[in-house]
Amino acid sequence: MSQNLAMGKHSSALILALMALLLLLFISACTTVEPQETPSVDPQNSVERVPLRVLAERKGFGIGAAATLGPIRKDENYRRILSEEFNQLVTENEMKFQRLQPEQGRFDFSKADEIVEFARSRDMRVFGHTLVWQRGLADWLKAGDWTREELLELLHDHIDTVVSHYRGKVYAWDVVNEALAPDASLRDLIWLRGIGPEYIDLSFKWAREADPQAHLFYNEYDGSGWGKSAQLKVDALYNLLTGLLERGVPLDGVGLQMHIGLDKPPSYEGLKQTLERLSGLGIEIQITETDIRLGNSSDSLPKKLAQQAKVYGDLIRACLDVERCSGFWFWGVTDRYTWVNGITGTPEDPLIFDRFYQPKPAYDAIARELKKSA
């Protein structure tokens, strides 16, 4: 009797619990829950970063950076920034003479090929740097006692082999780099001593034969036109290019290097005047090897960054304002990897991304100029 009573009480409790659960489910189903309101965003305070390459491509403009293989291999952020922000890749070191031909007649394209394939897989045009230069030469070449005929053969073979290897993959070449000395005379180097001034003409001729479609550039530093010495260099550069064109040398363009500091930056007006003068030759122009050092200024860091941004903005604005100026490239991607620190021994922070891949005021200045011209 007591057992049956206990079972009855247990059943009643179970029924009451089920009824309570059903009641809760009914109340929940009948209750309307208001969706959480999404906070509004003031569009004036919202900053959306459009990659530089997108802004540049709207204008058909080249925006590039010099890249090295080490960071491409090991640094994901470097790869990401390089491919997202730039539509043109310049080989910083891997296409120089000693890298490609470390021993006479033995070419090693493996590292340069890796950079080229990285760029092509990300729809970036490759600018080859450089076929003929007084530096970056192999020890075996510098140590040799060569006749003129031997040097002609060596130079021809190097240019033909390298340009032919990259035919259709490298869209432009720095064929001859820095042939002018600081006093604006032809620089004393192995090719001038052993062959004569015609080594310049022949280098362009051989490059054209190896790849008729490639754009062939002469590249020179200190060509901004700022100051007496720079104006002397610009005059010599103009005369050199004029002579090449008059002789029918296949020259397509000129690059003006911009390794500069905050103490003596070129002005917008001065650089634009130089660009317009060179454009009168009917050739393409690019602003090349750009980095702007902070170390030679004693101002506070925020002021130095603002000054750096202004100089970068002036440089690219001058280029965008001249029709034949088709591209602008930085000599590096980020302050984390820059050749300048190794030269001066102090942090110079010359590029538009800082050591942590954050865009600096200089980046914003470049973006603003590209937006205005797009």
Side-chain angles (χ1 to χ4, degrees):
M1 179 72 176
S2 59
Q3 184 178 5
N4 292 337
L5 182 61
M7 291 179 63
K9 290 181 178 180
H10 180 72
S11 299
S12 298
L14 181 61
I15 291 171
L16 289 173
L18 289 172
M19 290 178 66
L21 178 61
L22 291 172
L23 181 62
L24 287 173
L25 291 173
F26 176 78
I27 293 173
S28 175
C30 294
T31 302
T32 301
V33 178
E34 294 294 331
Q36 185 176 0
E37 184 178 355
T38 302
S40 61
V41 177
D42 183 353
Q44 293 185 345
N45 295 327
S46 176
V47 179
E48 180 183 356
R49 196 172 98 197
V50 179
L52 297 181
R53 70 176 293 170
V54 173
L55 297 174
E57 285 165 0
R58 291 173 183 171
K59 186 179 173 60
F61 188 74
I63 193 80
T68 55
L69 187 56
I72 287 177
R73 284 177 169 174
K74 69 182 182 181
D75 193 328
E76 181 179 353
N77 285 323
Y78 184 94
R79 293 192 297 272
R80 176 178 58 81
I81 292 294
L82 180 59
S83 57
E84 286 180 357
E85 296 287 346
F86 305 105
N87 60 20
Q88 183 168 287
L89 183 151
V90 186
T91 52
E92 185 170 351
N93 293 308
E94 300 301 343
M95 287 187 178
K96 292 173 180 174
F97 197 112
Q98 65 183 10
R99 302 290 183 96
L100 292 184
Q101 194 178 174
E103 299 175 10
Q104 185 178 357
R106 183 180 72 82
F107 288 83
D108 182 359
F109 293 107
S110 58
K111 293 180 179 179
D113 284 352
E114 197 171 336
I115 293 179
V116 170
E117 290 311 310
F118 170 87
R120 287 168 58 81
S121 70
R122 289 156 176 82
D123 198 24
M124 303 170 74
R125 296 194 302 177
V126 179
F127 203 114
H129 177 86
T130 172
L131 296 172
V132 184
W133 189 33
Q134 83 275 10
R135 301 177 64 184
L137 297 175
D139 290 339
W140 64 264
L141 177 63
K142 293 184 290 185
D145 182 17
W146 311 103
T147 66
R148 184 176 188 275
E149 290 69 26
E150 288 171 334
L151 282 177
L152 284 168
E153 185 178 356
L154 286 170
L155 184 59
H156 185 190
D157 180 64
H158 183 82
I159 293 173
D160 181 66
T161 302
V162 173
V163 177
S164 295
H165 180 82
Y166 290 109
R167 185 188 297 120
K169 295 182 178 180
V170 171
Y171 98 95
W173 285 98
D174 277 338
V175 178
V176 177
N177 189 49
E178 301 176 0
L180 294 173
D183 66 358
S185 64
L186 286 179
R187 186 181 295 277
D188 181 27
L189 71 166
I190 185 173
W191 309 116
L192 180 67
R193 291 192 302 271
I195 297 174
E198 57 269 32
Y199 84 88
I200 300 175
D201 300 48
L202 292 170
S203 296
F204 280 95
K205 174 179 177 291
W206 293 331
R208 174 68 84 229
E209 290 172 352
D211 186 354
Q213 303 305 316
H215 296 224
L216 306 182
F217 276 72
Y218 175 88
N219 193 43
E220 189 59 77
Y221 76 96
D222 203 13
S224 65
W226 188 97
K228 184 177 180 180
S229 62
Q231 188 58 55
L232 183 68
K233 178 67 77 70
V234 170
D235 290 341
L237 174 61
Y238 182 86
N239 292 334
L240 173 64
L241 300 178
T242 299
L244 293 175
L245 293 169
E246 288 177 347
R247 293 191 296 275
V249 173
L251 170 72
D252 298 310
V254 59
L256 299 182
Q257 300 177 25
M258 294 291 159
H259 297 295
I260 55 182
L262 293 180
D263 56 339
K264 295 182 179 180
S267 68
Y268 160 79
E269 292 80 8
L271 178 58
K272 184 183 177 186
Q273 184 178 7
T274 297
L275 295 175
E276 288 175 337
R277 182 184 180 191
L278 294 172
S279 70
L281 295 173
I283 59 176
E284 186 179 353
I285 308 169
Q286 295 207 10
I287 301 298
T288 66
E289 303 192 28
T290 309
D291 47 39
I292 302 172
R293 304 181 302 277
L294 299 183
N296 53 14
S297 171
S298 59
D299 287 331
S300 65
L301 181 58
K303 286 185 177 180
K304 288 194 287 188
L305 291 174
Q307 292 167 7
Q308 184 186 55
K310 181 183 183 306
V311 176
Y312 266 116
D314 286 346
L315 295 182
I316 195 167
R317 180 160 61 98
C319 179
L320 290 168
D321 286 349
V322 174
E323 184 177 358
R324 289 189 178 274
C325 194
S326 61
F328 188 101
W329 24 289
F330 308 88
W331 205 242
V333 177
T334 161
D335 292 337
R336 181 179 291 265
Y337 309 106
T338 169
W339 75 286
V340 176
N341 291 347
I343 298 297
T344 66
T346 59
E348 296 283 359
D349 298 335
L351 297 167
I352 63 173
F353 286 93
D354 68 18
R355 296 159 188 262
F356 303 100
Y357 294 97
Q358 295 304 304
K360 295 158 63 176
Y363 176 97
D364 298 329
I366 296 289
R368 280 194 300 271
E369 296 300 332
L370 287 171
K371 286 177 182 177
K372 285 193 294 187
S373 67

